[in-house]
Amino acid sequence: GEDVEQSLFLSVREGDSSVINCTYTDSSSTYLYWYKQEPGAGLQLLTYIFSNMDMKQDQRLTVLLNKKDKHLSLRIADTQTGDSAIYFCAEISNFGNEKLTFGTGTRLTIIP
Amino acid sequence: DTGVSQDPRHKITKRGQNVTFRCDPISEHNRLYWYRQTLGQGPEFLTYFQNEAQLEKSRLLSDRFSAERPKGSFSTLEIQRTEQGDSAMYLCASSHRVSNEQYFGPGTRLTVT
């Protein structure tokens, strides 16, 4: 079945760039997503990329997709304290299946 | 647009009791999803509706779980004879039929004692 892996923790100094990585196993993934979850809250859709794209940029966020290696990354430029949260990578398969498959999440901590 | 809403936000119940949660999707979103999230994990898919039709159910959705969306608008998720292992955050999401974007509600946190 589908599997999505992320490292659990990342610490970054305020003002630096954060890079959160994700690997997935489903070669039929059509869309790949990044969600943000703050403590006690639901998930906020940050951005997503279609599987035939290599890169997508949206303000401070840059998504890179290496389909050959099944590797997805999220770069947050000029990281701020408000970026502290858990970031989830997720994918949707190509076979008419509407469910999101999530990774375990990466907890981003900002060091002042 | 008020976003996806869920009620209640928190529920504490004793083992063996039944609980029901409600989700109101974003208006005009005809797709509605339920996910469950346990501590330290990502959300896991439970079930999905397109309008009033329940199109897919995960094997996580045991016989004690039932979900409905009677008029294709709000949805309810009922858990019968709750067990301690049911303690989790239950998340609802919705999307428009022509969109691949799922928007999540704030979740209902269930604690079974």
Side-chain angles (χ1 to χ4, degrees), chain B residues 14-56:
Chain B
K14 291 187 190 299
R15 189 177 54 179
Q17 297 295 303
N18 299 344
V19 294
T20 300
F21 310 141
R22 176 178 169 128
C23 170
D24 286 87
I26 294 170
S27 60
E28 298 182 356
H29 278 194
N30 68 330
R31 293 177 172 169
L32 187 146
Y33 313 80
W34 286 99
Y35 292 83
R36 181 171 71 184
Q37 185 180 24
T38 53
L39 206 59
Q41 300 296 317
E44 294 175 293
F45 171 80
L46 292 178
T47 190
Y48 149 60
F49 290 85
Q50 180 159 299
N51 300 312
E52 64 276 9
Q54 189 173 17
L55 295 186
E56 186 171 352

mmCIF file of all heavy atoms in Angstrom, chain B residues 14-56:
data_model
loop_
_atom_site.group_PDB
_atom_site.id
_atom_site.type_symbol
_atom_site.label_atom_id
_atom_site.label_comp_id
_atom_site.label_asym_id
_atom_site.label_seq_id
_atom_site.Cartn_x
_atom_site.Cartn_y
_atom_site.Cartn_z
ATOM 1 N N LYS B 14 -17.461 7.730 28.841
ATOM 2 C CA LYS B 14 -17.040 6.501 29.509
ATOM 3 C C LYS B 14 -17.087 5.356 28.500
ATOM 4 O O LYS B 14 -17.937 5.320 27.595
ATOM 5 C CB LYS B 14 -17.958 6.201 30.687
ATOM 6 C CG LYS B 14 -17.826 7.155 31.842
ATOM 7 C CD LYS B 14 -18.641 6.675 33.024
ATOM 8 C CE LYS B 14 -18.735 7.696 34.125
ATOM 9 N NZ LYS B 14 -17.417 8.047 34.662
ATOM 10 N N ARG B 15 -16.201 4.418 28.699
ATOM 11 C CA ARG B 15 -16.142 3.231 27.845
ATOM 12 C C ARG B 15 -17.509 2.564 27.787
ATOM 13 O O ARG B 15 -18.191 2.437 28.807
ATOM 14 C CB ARG B 15 -15.107 2.260 28.411
ATOM 15 C CG ARG B 15 -14.776 1.096 27.517
ATOM 16 C CD ARG B 15 -13.708 0.245 28.143
ATOM 17 N NE ARG B 15 -14.092 -0.170 29.491
ATOM 18 C CZ ARG B 15 -13.345 -0.949 30.265
ATOM 19 N NH1 ARG B 15 -12.163 -1.365 29.829
ATOM 20 N NH2 ARG B 15 -13.755 -1.294 31.460
ATOM 21 N N GLY B 16 -17.914 2.202 26.588
ATOM 22 C CA GLY B 16 -19.195 1.531 26.419
ATOM 23 C C GLY B 16 -20.329 2.454 25.994
ATOM 24 O O GLY B 16 -21.378 1.973 25.537
ATOM 25 N N GLN B 17 -20.120 3.757 26.132
ATOM 26 C CA GLN B 17 -21.142 4.710 25.728
ATOM 27 C C GLN B 17 -21.068 4.954 24.222
ATOM 28 O O GLN B 17 -20.042 4.720 23.576
ATOM 29 C CB GLN B 17 -20.960 6.039 26.461
ATOM 30 C CG GLN B 17 -21.115 5.930 27.970
ATOM 31 C CD GLN B 17 -22.531 5.549 28.352
ATOM 32 O OE1 GLN B 17 -23.477 6.235 27.996
ATOM 33 N NE2 GLN B 17 -22.677 4.451 29.071
ATOM 34 N N ASN B 18 -22.165 5.476 23.663
ATOM 35 C CA ASN B 18 -22.202 5.875 22.250
ATOM 36 C C ASN B 18 -21.944 7.377 22.143
ATOM 37 O O ASN B 18 -22.365 8.146 23.013
ATOM 38 C CB ASN B 18 -23.571 5.561 21.635
ATOM 39 C CG ASN B 18 -23.898 4.081 21.675
ATOM 40 O OD1 ASN B 18 -23.023 3.239 21.884
ATOM 41 N ND2 ASN B 18 -25.170 3.763 21.483
ATOM 42 N N VAL B 19 -21.257 7.772 21.088
ATOM 43 C CA VAL B 19 -21.024 9.197 20.837
ATOM 44 C C VAL B 19 -21.328 9.498 19.378
ATOM 45 O O VAL B 19 -21.202 8.636 18.504
ATOM 46 C CB VAL B 19 -19.566 9.616 21.155
ATOM 47 C CG1 VAL B 19 -19.282 9.502 22.645
ATOM 48 C CG2 VAL B 19 -18.569 8.823 20.339
ATOM 49 N N THR B 20 -21.724 10.748 19.120
ATOM 50 C CA THR B 20 -21.992 11.193 17.748
ATOM 51 C C THR B 20 -21.347 12.542 17.530
ATOM 52 O O THR B 20 -21.478 13.443 18.365
ATOM 53 C CB THR B 20 -23.505 11.301 17.490
ATOM 54 O OG1 THR B 20 -24.101 10.018 17.681
ATOM 55 C CG2 THR B 20 -23.772 11.756 16.062
ATOM 56 N N PHE B 21 -20.671 12.670 16.414
ATOM 57 C CA PHE B 21 -20.030 13.929 16.045
ATOM 58 C C PHE B 21 -20.678 14.466 14.779
ATOM 59 O O PHE B 21 -21.116 13.695 13.931
ATOM 60 C CB PHE B 21 -18.532 13.722 15.759
ATOM 61 C CG PHE B 21 -17.783 12.971 16.818
ATOM 62 C CD1 PHE B 21 -16.814 12.049 16.480
ATOM 63 C CD2 PHE B 21 -18.041 13.187 18.166
ATOM 64 C CE1 PHE B 21 -16.117 11.349 17.440
ATOM 65 C CE2 PHE B 21 -17.352 12.497 19.147
ATOM 66 C CZ PHE B 21 -16.390 11.568 18.775
ATOM 67 N N ARG B 22 -20.633 15.788 14.658
ATOM 68 C CA ARG B 22 -21.224 16.414 13.474
ATOM 69 C C ARG B 22 -20.185 17.206 12.713
ATOM 70 O O ARG B 22 -19.296 17.823 13.327
ATOM 71 C CB ARG B 22 -22.369 17.342 13.893
ATOM 72 C CG ARG B 22 -22.987 18.113 12.722
ATOM 73 C CD ARG B 22 -24.128 18.980 13.154
ATOM 74 N NE ARG B 22 -24.519 19.885 12.083
ATOM 75 C CZ ARG B 22 -25.774 20.006 11.650
ATOM 76 N NH1 ARG B 22 -26.753 19.297 12.193
ATOM 77 N NH2 ARG B 22 -26.058 20.854 10.680
ATOM 78 N N CYS B 23 -20.317 17.215 11.392
ATOM 79 C CA CYS B 23 -19.441 18.022 10.535
ATOM 80 C C CYS B 23 -20.304 18.798 9.553
ATOM 81 O O CYS B 23 -21.176 18.223 8.876
ATOM 82 C CB CYS B 23 -18.469 17.126 9.776
ATOM 83 S SG CYS B 23 -17.535 17.980 8.486
ATOM 84 N N ASP B 24 -20.056 20.100 9.455
ATOM 85 C CA ASP B 24 -20.695 20.937 8.441
ATOM 86 C C ASP B 24 -19.624 21.372 7.449
ATOM 87 O O ASP B 24 -18.707 22.116 7.816
ATOM 88 C CB ASP B 24 -21.362 22.154 9.081
ATOM 89 C CG ASP B 24 -22.638 21.777 9.802
ATOM 90 O OD1 ASP B 24 -22.550 21.407 11.002
ATOM 91 O OD2 ASP B 24 -23.692 21.830 9.164
ATOM 92 N N PRO B 25 -19.724 20.930 6.215
ATOM 93 C CA PRO B 25 -18.679 21.261 5.236
ATOM 94 C C PRO B 25 -18.833 22.691 4.730
ATOM 95 O O PRO B 25 -19.825 23.380 5.035
ATOM 96 C CB PRO B 25 -18.969 20.274 4.104
ATOM 97 C CG PRO B 25 -20.453 20.069 4.171
ATOM 98 C CD PRO B 25 -20.794 20.120 5.630
ATOM 99 N N ILE B 26 -17.874 23.129 3.953
ATOM 100 C CA ILE B 26 -17.974 24.412 3.269
ATOM 101 C C ILE B 26 -19.147 24.308 2.285
ATOM 102 O O ILE B 26 -19.306 23.288 1.603
ATOM 103 C CB ILE B 26 -16.660 24.736 2.542
ATOM 104 C CG1 ILE B 26 -15.544 24.959 3.572
ATOM 105 C CG2 ILE B 26 -16.808 25.946 1.625
ATOM 106 C CD1 ILE B 26 -14.146 25.052 2.985
ATOM 107 N N SER B 27 -19.955 25.364 2.240
ATOM 108 C CA SER B 27 -21.154 25.305 1.384
ATOM 109 C C SER B 27 -20.726 25.083 -0.072
ATOM 110 O O SER B 27 -19.686 25.578 -0.517
ATOM 111 C CB SER B 27 -21.964 26.584 1.516
ATOM 112 O OG SER B 27 -21.203 27.699 1.137
ATOM 113 N N GLU B 28 -21.513 24.302 -0.778
ATOM 114 C CA GLU B 28 -21.264 23.934 -2.181
ATOM 115 C C GLU B 28 -20.163 22.897 -2.356
ATOM 116 O O GLU B 28 -19.855 22.527 -3.495
ATOM 117 C CB GLU B 28 -20.962 25.153 -3.053
ATOM 118 C CG GLU B 28 -22.128 26.124 -3.088
ATOM 119 C CD GLU B 28 -21.857 27.313 -3.996
ATOM 120 O OE1 GLU B 28 -20.749 27.420 -4.541
ATOM 121 O OE2 GLU B 28 -22.773 28.138 -4.135
ATOM 122 N N HIS B 29 -19.555 22.442 -1.264
ATOM 123 C CA HIS B 29 -18.621 21.328 -1.365
ATOM 124 C C HIS B 29 -19.432 20.033 -1.310
ATOM 125 O O HIS B 29 -20.067 19.734 -0.307
ATOM 126 C CB HIS B 29 -17.608 21.362 -0.219
ATOM 127 C CG HIS B 29 -16.479 22.297 -0.454
ATOM 128 N ND1 HIS B 29 -15.320 22.280 0.302
ATOM 129 C CD2 HIS B 29 -16.303 23.275 -1.361
ATOM 130 C CE1 HIS B 29 -14.495 23.192 -0.131
ATOM 131 N NE2 HIS B 29 -15.067 23.829 -1.144
ATOM 132 N N ASN B 30 -19.377 19.258 -2.369
ATOM 133 C CA ASN B 30 -20.186 18.053 -2.385
ATOM 134 C C ASN B 30 -19.427 16.824 -1.874
ATOM 135 O O ASN B 30 -20.015 15.773 -1.679
ATOM 136 C CB ASN B 30 -20.741 17.795 -3.793
ATOM 137 C CG ASN B 30 -19.662 17.429 -4.776
ATOM 138 O OD1 ASN B 30 -18.517 17.850 -4.652
ATOM 139 N ND2 ASN B 30 -20.009 16.615 -5.758
ATOM 140 N N ARG B 31 -18.123 16.955 -1.646
ATOM 141 C CA ARG B 31 -17.347 15.823 -1.113
ATOM 142 C C ARG B 31 -17.006 16.079 0.341
ATOM 143 O O ARG B 31 -16.600 17.186 0.718
ATOM 144 C CB ARG B 31 -16.077 15.632 -1.929
ATOM 145 C CG ARG B 31 -16.380 15.178 -3.348
ATOM 146 C CD ARG B 31 -15.129 15.052 -4.168
ATOM 147 N NE ARG B 31 -15.417 14.449 -5.453
ATOM 148 C CZ ARG B 31 -14.553 14.413 -6.451
ATOM 149 N NH1 ARG B 31 -13.350 14.906 -6.307
ATOM 150 N NH2 ARG B 31 -14.892 13.841 -7.590
ATOM 151 N N LEU B 32 -17.154 15.041 1.149
ATOM 152 C CA LEU B 32 -16.904 15.153 2.580
ATOM 153 C C LEU B 32 -16.151 13.914 3.044
ATOM 154 O O LEU B 32 -16.471 12.789 2.648
ATOM 155 C CB LEU B 32 -18.237 15.292 3.334
ATOM 156 C CG LEU B 32 -18.163 15.596 4.827
ATOM 157 C CD1 LEU B 32 -19.326 16.470 5.259
ATOM 158 C CD2 LEU B 32 -18.109 14.331 5.649
ATOM 159 N N TYR B 33 -15.144 14.146 3.882
ATOM 160 C CA TYR B 33 -14.246 13.077 4.317
ATOM 161 C C TYR B 33 -14.158 13.067 5.834
ATOM 162 O O TYR B 33 -14.183 14.122 6.477
ATOM 163 C CB TYR B 33 -12.824 13.312 3.780
ATOM 164 C CG TYR B 33 -12.748 13.666 2.315
ATOM 165 C CD1 TYR B 33 -13.008 14.965 1.879
ATOM 166 C CD2 TYR B 33 -12.400 12.718 1.361
ATOM 167 C CE1 TYR B 33 -12.937 15.300 0.539
ATOM 168 C CE2 TYR B 33 -12.317 13.047 0.014
ATOM 169 C CZ TYR B 33 -12.591 14.343 -0.385
ATOM 170 O OH TYR B 33 -12.509 14.670 -1.720
ATOM 171 N N TRP B 34 -13.976 11.891 6.404
ATOM 172 C CA TRP B 34 -13.654 11.744 7.820
ATOM 173 C C TRP B 34 -12.282 11.078 7.944
ATOM 174 O O TRP B 34 -11.996 10.088 7.253
ATOM 175 C CB TRP B 34 -14.690 10.881 8.541
ATOM 176 C CG TRP B 34 -16.003 11.558 8.795
ATOM 177 C CD1 TRP B 34 -17.155 11.443 8.069
ATOM 178 C CD2 TRP B 34 -16.301 12.439 9.876
ATOM 179 N NE1 TRP B 34 -18.146 12.196 8.620
ATOM 180 C CE2 TRP B 34 -17.665 12.821 9.733
ATOM 181 C CE3 TRP B 34 -15.578 12.937 10.961
ATOM 182 C CZ2 TRP B 34 -18.300 13.682 10.631
ATOM 183 C CZ3 TRP B 34 -16.208 13.795 11.849
ATOM 184 C CH2 TRP B 34 -17.551 14.153 11.681
ATOM 185 N N TYR B 35 -11.466 11.637 8.840
ATOM 186 C CA TYR B 35 -10.151 11.090 9.151
ATOM 187 C C TYR B 35 -10.038 10.966 10.674
ATOM 188 O O TYR B 35 -10.704 11.673 11.420
ATOM 189 C CB TYR B 35 -9.033 12.026 8.669
ATOM 190 C CG TYR B 35 -8.895 12.154 7.168
ATOM 191 C CD1 TYR B 35 -9.705 13.039 6.457
ATOM 192 C CD2 TYR B 35 -7.947 11.415 6.474
ATOM 193 C CE1 TYR B 35 -9.584 13.168 5.077
ATOM 194 C CE2 TYR B 35 -7.808 11.543 5.088
ATOM 195 C CZ TYR B 35 -8.633 12.419 4.406
ATOM 196 O OH TYR B 35 -8.498 12.549 3.042
ATOM 197 N N ARG B 36 -9.138 10.104 11.106
ATOM 198 C CA ARG B 36 -8.847 9.980 12.532
ATOM 199 C C ARG B 36 -7.354 10.199 12.742
ATOM 200 O O ARG B 36 -6.526 9.680 11.972
ATOM 201 C CB ARG B 36 -9.230 8.589 13.038
ATOM 202 C CG ARG B 36 -8.986 8.387 14.518
ATOM 203 C CD ARG B 36 -9.581 7.079 14.988
ATOM 204 N NE ARG B 36 -8.832 5.922 14.495
ATOM 205 C CZ ARG B 36 -9.208 4.675 14.710
ATOM 206 N NH1 ARG B 36 -10.318 4.407 15.378
ATOM 207 N NH2 ARG B 36 -8.487 3.684 14.239
ATOM 208 N N GLN B 37 -7.025 10.960 13.783
ATOM 209 C CA GLN B 37 -5.617 11.253 14.076
ATOM 210 C C GLN B 37 -5.322 10.919 15.530
ATOM 211 O O GLN B 37 -5.935 11.479 16.438
ATOM 212 C CB GLN B 37 -5.305 12.731 13.808
ATOM 213 C CG GLN B 37 -3.833 13.076 13.980
ATOM 214 C CD GLN B 37 -3.542 14.534 13.704
ATOM 215 O OE1 GLN B 37 -4.413 15.393 13.800
ATOM 216 N NE2 GLN B 37 -2.299 14.839 13.338
ATOM 217 N N THR B 38 -4.390 9.992 15.745
ATOM 218 C CA THR B 38 -3.951 9.681 17.099
ATOM 219 C C THR B 38 -2.662 10.438 17.384
ATOM 220 O O THR B 38 -1.993 10.940 16.463
ATOM 221 C CB THR B 38 -3.753 8.181 17.291
ATOM 222 O OG1 THR B 38 -2.871 7.698 16.256
ATOM 223 C CG2 THR B 38 -5.072 7.430 17.206
ATOM 224 N N LEU B 39 -2.318 10.509 18.658
ATOM 225 C CA LEU B 39 -1.197 11.348 19.105
ATOM 226 C C LEU B 39 0.099 10.953 18.402
ATOM 227 O O LEU B 39 0.474 9.788 18.370
ATOM 228 C CB LEU B 39 -1.046 11.198 20.614
ATOM 229 C CG LEU B 39 -0.421 12.374 21.339
ATOM 230 C CD1 LEU B 39 -1.233 13.645 21.114
ATOM 231 C CD2 LEU B 39 -0.313 12.084 22.826
ATOM 232 N N GLY B 40 0.766 11.940 17.820
ATOM 233 C CA GLY B 40 2.055 11.696 17.188
ATOM 234 C C GLY B 40 1.978 11.084 15.806
ATOM 235 O O GLY B 40 3.012 10.730 15.232
ATOM 236 N N GLN B 41 0.782 10.968 15.268
ATOM 237 C CA GLN B 41 0.608 10.363 13.945
ATOM 238 C C GLN B 41 -0.070 11.336 12.978
ATOM 239 O O GLN B 41 -0.684 12.317 13.400
ATOM 240 C CB GLN B 41 -0.260 9.101 14.047
ATOM 241 C CG GLN B 41 0.316 8.031 14.948
ATOM 242 C CD GLN B 41 1.635 7.505 14.415
ATOM 243 O OE1 GLN B 41 1.800 7.265 13.217
ATOM 244 N NE2 GLN B 41 2.599 7.337 15.304
ATOM 245 N N GLY B 42 0.034 11.028 11.697
ATOM 246 C CA GLY B 42 -0.722 11.785 10.717
ATOM 247 C C GLY B 42 -2.157 11.272 10.658
ATOM 248 O O GLY B 42 -2.451 10.176 11.127
ATOM 249 N N PRO B 43 -3.053 12.060 10.107
ATOM 250 C CA PRO B 43 -4.450 11.608 9.975
ATOM 251 C C PRO B 43 -4.547 10.359 9.107
ATOM 252 O O PRO B 43 -3.787 10.180 8.150
ATOM 253 C CB PRO B 43 -5.138 12.795 9.304
ATOM 254 C CG PRO B 43 -4.271 13.971 9.607
ATOM 255 C CD PRO B 43 -2.877 13.437 9.635
ATOM 256 N N GLU B 44 -5.522 9.505 9.458
ATOM 257 C CA GLU B 44 -5.784 8.295 8.666
ATOM 258 C C GLU B 44 -7.218 8.365 8.144
ATOM 259 O O GLU B 44 -8.153 8.678 8.893
ATOM 260 C CB GLU B 44 -5.626 7.043 9.524
ATOM 261 C CG GLU B 44 -4.208 6.800 9.992
ATOM 262 C CD GLU B 44 -4.145 5.609 10.927
ATOM 263 O OE1 GLU B 44 -4.688 5.696 12.040
ATOM 264 O OE2 GLU B 44 -3.556 4.577 10.532
ATOM 265 N N PHE B 45 -7.373 8.024 6.892
ATOM 266 C CA PHE B 45 -8.674 8.080 6.233
ATOM 267 C C PHE B 45 -9.644 7.080 6.843
ATOM 268 O O PHE B 45 -9.291 5.930 7.106
ATOM 269 C CB PHE B 45 -8.475 7.764 4.755
ATOM 270 C CG PHE B 45 -9.721 7.581 3.969
ATOM 271 C CD1 PHE B 45 -10.437 8.667 3.511
ATOM 272 C CD2 PHE B 45 -10.192 6.303 3.670
ATOM 273 C CE1 PHE B 45 -11.580 8.503 2.759
ATOM 274 C CE2 PHE B 45 -11.339 6.119 2.929
ATOM 275 C CZ PHE B 45 -12.040 7.222 2.473
ATOM 276 N N LEU B 46 -10.888 7.535 7.067
ATOM 277 C CA LEU B 46 -11.949 6.638 7.550
ATOM 278 C C LEU B 46 -12.991 6.380 6.471
ATOM 279 O O LEU B 46 -13.311 5.237 6.162
ATOM 280 C CB LEU B 46 -12.635 7.236 8.783
ATOM 281 C CG LEU B 46 -11.806 7.339 10.057
ATOM 282 C CD1 LEU B 46 -12.618 7.987 11.165
ATOM 283 C CD2 LEU B 46 -11.316 5.963 10.490
ATOM 284 N N THR B 47 -13.554 7.483 5.921
ATOM 285 C CA THR B 47 -14.627 7.303 4.952
ATOM 286 C C THR B 47 -14.830 8.570 4.149
ATOM 287 O O THR B 47 -14.320 9.644 4.508
ATOM 288 C CB THR B 47 -15.938 6.888 5.648
ATOM 289 O OG1 THR B 47 -16.909 6.490 4.662
ATOM 290 C CG2 THR B 47 -16.508 8.025 6.481
ATOM 291 N N TYR B 48 -15.572 8.451 3.046
ATOM 292 C CA TYR B 48 -15.714 9.555 2.102
ATOM 293 C C TYR B 48 -17.112 9.518 1.479
ATOM 294 O O TYR B 48 -17.614 8.443 1.148
ATOM 295 C CB TYR B 48 -14.607 9.382 1.050
ATOM 296 C CG TYR B 48 -14.871 9.864 -0.345
ATOM 297 C CD1 TYR B 48 -15.161 11.190 -0.596
ATOM 298 C CD2 TYR B 48 -14.776 8.987 -1.410
ATOM 299 C CE1 TYR B 48 -15.372 11.634 -1.886
ATOM 300 C CE2 TYR B 48 -14.988 9.415 -2.706
ATOM 301 C CZ TYR B 48 -15.289 10.742 -2.951
ATOM 302 O OH TYR B 48 -15.491 11.173 -4.225
ATOM 303 N N PHE B 49 -17.715 10.712 1.376
ATOM 304 C CA PHE B 49 -19.031 10.865 0.756
ATOM 305 C C PHE B 49 -18.923 11.770 -0.461
ATOM 306 O O PHE B 49 -18.205 12.779 -0.440
ATOM 307 C CB PHE B 49 -20.015 11.538 1.729
ATOM 308 C CG PHE B 49 -20.413 10.677 2.883
ATOM 309 C CD1 PHE B 49 -19.625 10.627 4.029
ATOM 310 C CD2 PHE B 49 -21.575 9.928 2.840
ATOM 311 C CE1 PHE B 49 -19.992 9.849 5.107
ATOM 312 C CE2 PHE B 49 -21.950 9.144 3.927
ATOM 313 C CZ PHE B 49 -21.152 9.105 5.046
ATOM 314 N N GLN B 50 -19.659 11.427 -1.483
ATOM 315 C CA GLN B 50 -19.911 12.365 -2.564
ATOM 316 C C GLN B 50 -21.412 12.592 -2.544
ATOM 317 O O GLN B 50 -22.193 11.657 -2.777
ATOM 318 C CB GLN B 50 -19.452 11.827 -3.909
ATOM 319 C CG GLN B 50 -19.706 12.807 -5.040
ATOM 320 C CD GLN B 50 -18.837 12.556 -6.246
ATOM 321 O OE1 GLN B 50 -17.619 12.627 -6.167
ATOM 322 N NE2 GLN B 50 -19.456 12.236 -7.360
ATOM 323 N N ASN B 51 -21.810 13.824 -2.268
ATOM 324 C CA ASN B 51 -23.211 14.137 -1.968
ATOM 325 C C ASN B 51 -23.654 13.227 -0.818
ATOM 326 O O ASN B 51 -22.965 13.167 0.189
ATOM 327 C CB ASN B 51 -24.066 14.001 -3.218
ATOM 328 C CG ASN B 51 -23.594 14.936 -4.311
ATOM 329 O OD1 ASN B 51 -23.365 16.121 -4.059
ATOM 330 N ND2 ASN B 51 -23.423 14.416 -5.514
ATOM 331 N N GLU B 52 -24.752 12.510 -0.966
ATOM 332 C CA GLU B 52 -25.218 11.672 0.151
ATOM 333 C C GLU B 52 -24.673 10.243 0.078
ATOM 334 O O GLU B 52 -24.882 9.450 0.996
ATOM 335 C CB GLU B 52 -26.740 11.658 0.220
ATOM 336 C CG GLU B 52 -27.434 11.045 -0.970
ATOM 337 C CD GLU B 52 -27.620 12.022 -2.119
ATOM 338 O OE1 GLU B 52 -27.054 13.131 -2.067
ATOM 339 O OE2 GLU B 52 -28.315 11.663 -3.088
ATOM 340 N N ALA B 53 -23.971 9.909 -0.984
ATOM 341 C CA ALA B 53 -23.489 8.540 -1.171
ATOM 342 C C ALA B 53 -22.137 8.318 -0.492
ATOM 343 O O ALA B 53 -21.182 9.058 -0.726
ATOM 344 C CB ALA B 53 -23.368 8.245 -2.660
ATOM 345 N N GLN B 54 -22.070 7.270 0.331
ATOM 346 C CA GLN B 54 -20.814 6.897 0.976
ATOM 347 C C GLN B 54 -20.053 6.006 0.003
ATOM 348 O O GLN B 54 -20.445 4.853 -0.227
ATOM 349 C CB GLN B 54 -21.098 6.166 2.290
ATOM 350 C CG GLN B 54 -19.857 5.933 3.132
ATOM 351 C CD GLN B 54 -20.180 5.353 4.509
ATOM 352 O OE1 GLN B 54 -21.269 4.838 4.737
ATOM 353 N NE2 GLN B 54 -19.239 5.448 5.432
ATOM 354 N N LEU B 55 -18.958 6.518 -0.561
ATOM 355 C CA LEU B 55 -18.302 5.835 -1.667
ATOM 356 C C LEU B 55 -17.143 4.947 -1.238
ATOM 357 O O LEU B 55 -16.755 4.040 -1.981
ATOM 358 C CB LEU B 55 -17.809 6.841 -2.708
ATOM 359 C CG LEU B 55 -18.904 7.629 -3.426
ATOM 360 C CD1 LEU B 55 -18.304 8.489 -4.531
ATOM 361 C CD2 LEU B 55 -19.974 6.709 -3.983
ATOM 362 N N GLU B 56 -16.560 5.211 -0.094
ATOM 363 C CA GLU B 56 -15.452 4.376 0.343
ATOM 364 C C GLU B 56 -15.370 4.362 1.855
ATOM 365 O O GLU B 56 -15.634 5.368 2.513
ATOM 366 C CB GLU B 56 -14.125 4.882 -0.234
ATOM 367 C CG GLU B 56 -12.959 3.952 0.075
ATOM 368 C CD GLU B 56 -11.682 4.309 -0.656
ATOM 369 O OE1 GLU B 56 -11.718 5.194 -1.528
ATOM 370 O OE2 GLU B 56 -10.650 3.693 -0.340
#
